[in-house]
Amino acid sequence: MTDVTGAPVATVDVLNTLFHSEQGGHEQVVLCQDRASGLKAVIALHSTALGPALGGTRFYPYASEQDAVADALNLSRGMSYKNAMAGLDHGGGKAVIIGDPELIEAHQRTELLLAYGRFVASLGGRYVTACDVGTYVADMDVVARECRWTTGRSPENGGAGDSSVLTAFGVFQGMRASAQHLWGDPTLRGRKVGIAGVGKVGHHLVEHLLQDGASVVITDVRDESVRRITERHPGIAVAADTDALIRAEGLDVYAPCALGGALNDDSVPVLTAKVVCGAANNQLSHPGVEKDLADRGILYAPDYVVNAGGVIQVADELHGFDFERSKAKAAKIFDTTLSIFARAKDDGIPPAAAADRIAEQRISEARAR
């Protein structure tokens, strides 16, 4: 870590998280506060070895500043690996804004995002931001008013629009690769897929799966998200909650598409699916869960590999967005996922460890140049 800047929002616990985090190795962490707008945010740059750090902005009501810092550190590290595996010339970064986006008034949200944009701009291009949980295309249009290193903007403002479209497409390619590896056929036809979280990404994933001939079971903490799906597809099955979903009989694939930590000491032992492949970041709640999955014979498609379609899309925006070009790059997630499964088999390690090795090698080679 080279720098901690911004107004003093850090507590002793936050500083302990920064300096003693198990994630470690971050180049820069910026703690941001703008009293006029109410902004409190953390920008974490894990690595710029491959190029400017690229990653989204999460707007979330964290229980504490320490939790926000920990999430930023974890997410930014994941972005380094994601961008490396996607073949992008970008390092990993992530920002989190502390607060509940559902409770903030429109005018205050605008002022807060403008202030945030000024903090991103102060990094001089070391960090390129985009959408994430709690932020949307319209938000990036606001941030871009203060910062030219902003992607995920609306098409009318020179952007690519909603990156969840290609995120879902990439996850679907990861599922196809998982089916090829496990069942010898790259289709989900006739398979039962459970999706936890049918928001920005999940509802697009539902469409891909239904078109492919899969049966789908969904759940979401937001009733309106479930209702959007059931109104379009009245016959679709709905689980009471995530716990009921992961225990469902006959489940072939489990797709965590909400927040991280979905695979943990409670969920893995009762999971009925043979494949886990979803859009959520940081699905493994702690080191060792990947081995627990392997010991149970559950194939895990590493989250940062299969959910890279969105970052592929926003990275392309920096060069003049072309949807078909971006989709073609996202389609390669199929081959990348298969290569990880093959490496895992050859090395006798879980797929998550195999993906880490490949990503770390690319980053290490870039640092050595």
Side-chain angles (χ1 to χ4, degrees):
M1 186 186 307
T2 59
D3 188 28
V4 177
T5 62
V9 300
T11 63
V12 172
D13 285 343
V14 169
L15 291 175
N16 284 337
T17 300
L18 290 175
F19 289 108
H20 303 290
S21 169
E22 291 181 0
Q23 297 297 345
H26 288 71
E27 293 181 10
Q28 185 175 11
V29 178
V30 182
L31 305 178
C32 314
Q33 179 171 266
D34 178 72
R35 295 187 185 279
S37 66
L39 171 74
K40 286 187 177 183
V42 182
I43 304 172
L45 307 187
H46 177 261
S47 171
T48 57
L50 291 170
L54 172 62
T57 299
R58 179 164 294 192
F59 198 160
Y60 189 75
Y62 294 95
S64 68
E65 293 166 358
Q66 185 179 13
D67 288 348
V69 170
D71 204 27
L73 295 176
N74 199 24
L75 290 166
S76 60
R77 178 179 180 271
M79 288 306 304
S80 287
Y81 284 51
K82 180 185 295 191
N83 293 337
M85 287 303 302
L88 300 176
D89 294 327
H90 285 283
K94 203 80 172 186
V96 300
I97 296 173
I98 303 171
D100 191 335
E102 301 296 326
L103 299 180
I104 189 170
E105 295 182 359
H107 175 72
Q108 184 187 359
R109 186 185 186 104
T110 297
E111 294 304 313
L112 183 149
L113 291 170
L114 290 172
Y116 168 69
R118 291 191 288 272
F119 276 104
V120 176
S122 73
L123 295 173
R126 281 173 54 79
Y127 171 56
V128 181
T129 195
C131 298
D132 196 71
V133 174
T135 59
Y136 302 87
V137 170
D139 295 324
M140 293 305 105
D141 285 344
V142 175
V143 173
R145 286 158 55 183
E146 294 284 354
C147 176
R148 64 190 180 93
W149 294 287
T150 305
T151 60
R153 294 163 292 146
S154 64
E156 53 267 31
N157 284 289
D162 184 7
S163 63
S164 65
V165 174
L166 287 188
T167 302
F169 177 72
V171 173
F172 178 59
Q173 299 310 311
M175 281 192 191
R176 292 181 60 245
S178 300
Q180 173 68 52
H181 180 80
L182 195 61
W183 299 305
D185 193 4
T187 179
L188 282 305
R189 181 172 297 280
R191 302 292 175 184
K192 186 176 182 180
V193 181
I195 303 178
V198 286
K200 287 199 290 187
V201 176
H203 83 277
H204 291 297
L205 183 58
V206 168
E207 300 299 329
H208 287 299
L209 289 165
L210 292 177
Q211 290 172 14
D212 195 39
S215 63
V216 179
V217 185
I218 65 171
T219 190
D220 198 295
V221 295
R222 296 175 178 271
D223 291 339
E224 60 269 28
S225 296
V226 172
R227 189 161 50 249
R228 173 171 58 173
I229 301 296
T230 56
E231 287 178 352
R232 182 174 174 85
H233 303 287
I236 204 165
V238 179
D241 53 30
T242 300
D243 185 62
L245 178 66
I246 64 175
R247 295 171 183 267
E249 292 185 8
L251 198 65
D252 294 298
V253 181
Y254 171 49
C257 293
L259 296 177
L263 302 172
N264 54 51
D265 295 336
D266 295 323
S267 62
V268 171
V270 298
L271 184 61
T272 60
K274 293 300 182 184
V275 173
V276 175
C277 180
N281 288 310
N282 300 323
Q283 293 170 24
L284 304 177
S285 62
H286 61 78
V289 176
E290 71 281 6
K291 185 177 183 303
D292 294 337
L293 288 164
D295 288 346
R296 289 206 59 220
I298 299 172
L299 181 66
Y300 174 61
D303 49 38
Y304 65 78
V305 175
V306 302
N307 69 12
V311 76
I312 289 170
Q313 177 172 322
V314 297
D316 192 78
E317 184 178 322
L318 297 171
H319 309 286
F321 181 64
D322 183 285
F323 182 80
E324 292 305 321
R325 179 176 63 200
S326 297
K327 186 175 182 180
K329 291 179 181 177
K332 294 179 181 178
I333 290 173
F334 176 86
D335 293 327
T336 301
T337 306
L338 281 179
S339 70
I340 289 167
F341 293 152
R343 173 72 176 267
K345 182 178 180 181
D346 290 344
D347 292 358
I349 56 177
D356 285 355
R357 286 185 182 181
I358 297 170
E360 287 164 0
Q361 181 178 355
R362 184 170 182 236
I363 294 170
S364 178
E365 289 173 351
R367 285 176 177 150
R369 287 199 294 267

